Amino acid sequence: MKIQESAENYLETILILNRRNGYARAIDIAAELEFSKPSVSIAMKNLRENGYITVNSAGHISLTEKGAEIAERIYERHTFLSSWLVELGVDPAVAAEDACRMEHVISAESFRAIQEVAARDRASRK
């Protein structure tokens, strides 16, 4: 299923905040992404209505199975691509920015191929 890049970013941020803090709230997402609270509120409403998140009475946001699947995929891509670019000599800040853009557009086939080449390269250096 293909969803918009902005929705993928929100889901990934919810995953990261839940791992880091044990919870994610709209205000935390706004602070993390440096977005306005109203923008985040609208996005959370859309994600909830489309079955990607749930929100409890305390305002804590959880990923549904469908939302977690997307968030995990995007997060895996981001962490792998960022570290791989750093290994190639790219400045860490630039690598993180580039990985954030790449993670949304790269196909599963191309991502797997890059992972395989990187694994072979790492193995040959040992």
Side-chain angles (χ1 to χ4, degrees):
M1 160 175 257
K2 181 68 177 151
I3 66 170
Q4 290 185 349
E5 181 178 327
S6 62
E8 290 176 340
N9 279 333
Y10 279 115
L11 295 172
E12 180 185 23
T13 300
I14 293 165
L15 174 73
I16 291 166
L17 289 170
N18 274 315
R19 286 183 178 177
R20 184 189 312 150
N21 303 332
Y23 61 88
R25 301 171 301 173
I27 194 164
D28 304 314
I29 296 164
E32 185 78 14
L33 295 174
E34 299 179 350
F35 290 169
S36 72
K37 292 177 206 166
S39 294
V40 172
S41 205
I42 291 167
M44 293 306 103
K45 179 179 183 258
N46 290 335
L47 290 173
R48 190 180 68 252
E49 288 176 351
N50 286 293
Y52 295 107
I53 64 167
T54 60
V55 182
N56 72 14
S57 60
H60 292 190
I61 300 165
S62 298
L63 297 167
T64 63
E65 187 176 326
K66 182 166 85 166
E69 183 181 312
I70 294 166
E72 292 283 355
R73 183 185 74 237
I74 296 299
Y75 185 69
E76 176 193 16
R77 288 177 177 194
H78 181 88
T79 55
F80 173 82
L81 291 167
S82 184
S83 64
W84 180 62
L85 290 168
V86 169
E87 282 180 38
L88 294 175
V90 177
D91 176 85
V94 173
E97 280 184 37
D98 288 346
C100 194
R101 287 190 296 274
M102 294 165 63
E103 69 196 24
H104 302 285
V105 296
I106 192 168
S107 69
E109 181 181 356
S110 293
F111 183 66
R112 275 192 305 277
I114 290 170
Q115 285 180 305
E116 290 170 10
V117 168
R120 284 195 305 264
D121 183 54
R122 287 178 184 139
S124 71
R125 286 188 267 148
K126 289 184 179 181

